[in-house]
Every structure is written in C-alpha cells, then in structure tokens.
C-alpha cells in the first residue's frame, strides 16, 4: 500500500529538523558578538559625593545613632508641615522692586516731615545661622524652623538645645531646598519668625501648640 499523502502544513521544515541551520553559541570576545543588554549600574564608578551619601545612610542604619543626630529624623508630619509652609509663605522677604518703592516713599515722607505716614518695614522671615542664633539668644525669635538634611549636620546640631534652653519654639522639617525657596536662596539651614500679623496669630498659636 502507498502511505497516505501528508498535508501541506506537515511538509514544512520544523526548527529541529536536521536540514535547518544549527544555533551556534555566542562568542563575546573582542570584535565578536554584541553583548545582550543588562543592568550595569553596580559596575559604574559613581561620583564621590554619591558614594558618601550612600555610605552615610548605611552607617546610620547599622550603627546606634546618638540622640543629638537622631532628633533630625523626627520631622513634622505632612499635614502640619503644609500648614506651616502656608504661613511662612506669607512672610517671604520683599523683592528688590518692592524694597526700592518702600525706601522712596520713606525718603519722601522724611523730606516732607511726615514720619507717621512713612511705610514701615514689613514682617519677614529671618535667615542665616548666625543671625538666627542671635535672635534666639535675645529671645526675639517666636519660632525657629530647622532643615533635617543639613550637611555637615554639626552646623545645626546644637540649635535645638539652644532653643530649648531659651524657651523658643522650634521644629524640624524636611528639605533645606524647600526652606531656601521661601527666602530666594538655593538652600537654607534654618529660618525664624520674629512676629506675625494679627490675622495669623490663631494659626501661629495652633502650630506652636503642636
């Protein structure tokens, strides 16, 4: 008997048939095959500042951190920090144009002898570590806001202790860059409020109570 005819689909060559070309293993020597894509980030020589950041983080996780340093990990929660920054935003320092207009009006009022009509200096945020230290020592600061990521931390590690000694309210918030935006700088280690407007006194007292 003749065997039954195969269907056209069965006549196609299978990949494992001896007539198909065998797959050769890749040769990855110099000038050979292209390497398959893979994650090489662990082989990258990272910049020194990134290596220091990572080593510092690992060290803080593995070692028992002193209380003076550990206090900077306990920042305000998100809701309270948002309310705080809303309040601080109202006391941003005046820009050059506003200051020039105020000084011109002040000069005109002095010239005409109308001192009572002269514009007063607005209540603004105070920045600068030395300036804020002086305000705390003189008990003029009503609230001190300290950034949690100051580097080196020794710059501000003593400031919470000074605030407690002088009975000045303080808080630690996330982001020196966020504090810097309030005063027109890239970063700020700390900010201070010396006074608030009457309409903000309730909000301010609520934040201090927290």
């Amino acid at each position: 008997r003749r065997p039954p005819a195969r269907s056209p689909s069965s006549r196609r060559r299978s990949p494992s048939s001896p007539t198909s070309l065998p797959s050769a293993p890749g040769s990855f020597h110099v000038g050979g095959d292209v390497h398959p894509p893979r994650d090489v980030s662990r082989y990258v020589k990272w910049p020194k500042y990134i290596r220091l950041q990572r080593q510092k983080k690992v060290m803080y996780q593995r070692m028992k951190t002193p209380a003076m340093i550990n206090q900077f990990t306990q920042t305000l929660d998100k809701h309270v920090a948002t309310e705080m920054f809303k309040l601080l935003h109202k006391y941003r320092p005046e820009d050059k144009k506003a200051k020039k207009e105020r000084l011109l009006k002040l000069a005109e009022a002095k010239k005409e002898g109308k001192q009572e009509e002269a514009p007063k200096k607005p209540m603004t945020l105070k920045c600068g570590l030395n300036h804020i230290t002086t305000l705390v020592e003189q008990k003029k600061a009503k609230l001190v806001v300290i950034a949690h990521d100051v580097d080196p931390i020794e710059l501000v590690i003593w400031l919470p202790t000074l605030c407690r000694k002088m009975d000045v309210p303080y808080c630690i918030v996330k982001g020196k860059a966020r504090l810097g935006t309030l005063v027109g700088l890239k970063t700020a280690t700390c900010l201070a409020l010396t006074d608030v407007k009457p309409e903000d006194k309730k909000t301010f007292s609520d934040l201090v109570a927290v």
Side-chain angles (χ1 to χ4, degrees):
R1 285 185 178 182
R2 294 178 65 185
R6 288 189 298 172
S7 62
S9 61
S10 64
R11 290 177 188 170
R12 293 175 189 164
R13 292 174 183 173
S14 62
S16 59
S17 64
T19 54
S20 61
L21 293 173
S23 59
S27 176
F28 300 118
H29 59 78
V30 176
D33 294 336
V34 179
H35 282 270
R38 60 177 176 174
D39 183 19
V40 293
S41 59
R42 64 170 289 150
Y43 304 106
V44 174
K45 185 174 182 182
W46 294 95
K48 190 174 182 180
Y49 78 97
I50 291 180
R51 279 183 278 140
L52 285 172
Q53 283 174 357
R54 291 177 178 176
Q55 289 165 4
K56 185 178 176 182
K57 185 179 179 182
V58 171
M59 185 183 72
Y60 281 161
Q61 286 172 344
R62 292 182 181 176
M63 293 175 63
K64 189 172 181 181
T65 313
M68 291 285 285
I69 294 175
N70 190 57
Q71 65 183 338
F72 288 91
T73 62
Q74 294 164 20
T75 57
L76 285 181
D77 63 70
K78 191 175 180 181
H79 175 69
V80 180
T82 305
E83 294 299 317
M84 167 96 52
F85 278 99
K86 280 181 184 176
L87 176 66
L88 297 180
H89 196 272
K90 297 179 183 178
Y91 296 91
R92 298 183 69 183
E94 56 187 351
D95 56 7
K96 288 184 178 179
K97 187 178 179 183
K99 186 176 182 180
K100 187 177 180 182
E101 289 175 1
R102 180 174 63 82
L103 293 176
L104 281 172
K105 289 178 182 177
L106 180 63
E108 287 172 6
K110 276 187 178 180
K111 188 177 179 181
E112 295 171 4
K114 298 177 181 177
Q115 292 286 353
E116 63 278 355
E117 294 181 10
K120 294 181 180 179
K121 192 174 181 181
M123 287 180 267
T124 58
L125 287 168
K126 309 297 179 186
C127 63
L129 191 55
N130 290 339
H131 186 197
I132 289 173
T133 304
T134 306
L135 292 173
V136 172
E137 287 172 344
Q138 295 172 353
K139 294 190 177 182
K140 290 183 180 178
K142 297 287 194 306
L143 175 67
V144 177
V145 185
I146 309 167
H148 85 298
D149 55 348
V150 179
D151 189 39
I153 196 69
E154 288 82 8
L155 288 172
V156 292
I157 201 170
W158 46 269
L159 192 53
T161 307
L162 179 66
C163 290
R164 284 196 296 270
K165 183 181 178 184
M166 305 307 292
D167 201 21
V168 174
Y170 74 93
C171 63
I172 297 168
V173 296
K174 284 188 177 179
K176 58 185 178 182
R178 198 175 179 190
L179 291 183
T181 55
L182 292 170
V183 289
L185 299 171
K186 283 185 179 179
T187 57
T189 56
C190 51
L191 301 176
L193 269 175
T194 52
D195 205 357
V196 292
K197 297 171 185 174
E199 60 267 25
D200 294 327
K201 284 194 174 177
K202 186 180 183 305
T203 308
F204 179 74
S205 59
D206 291 343
L207 287 171
V208 170
V210 172

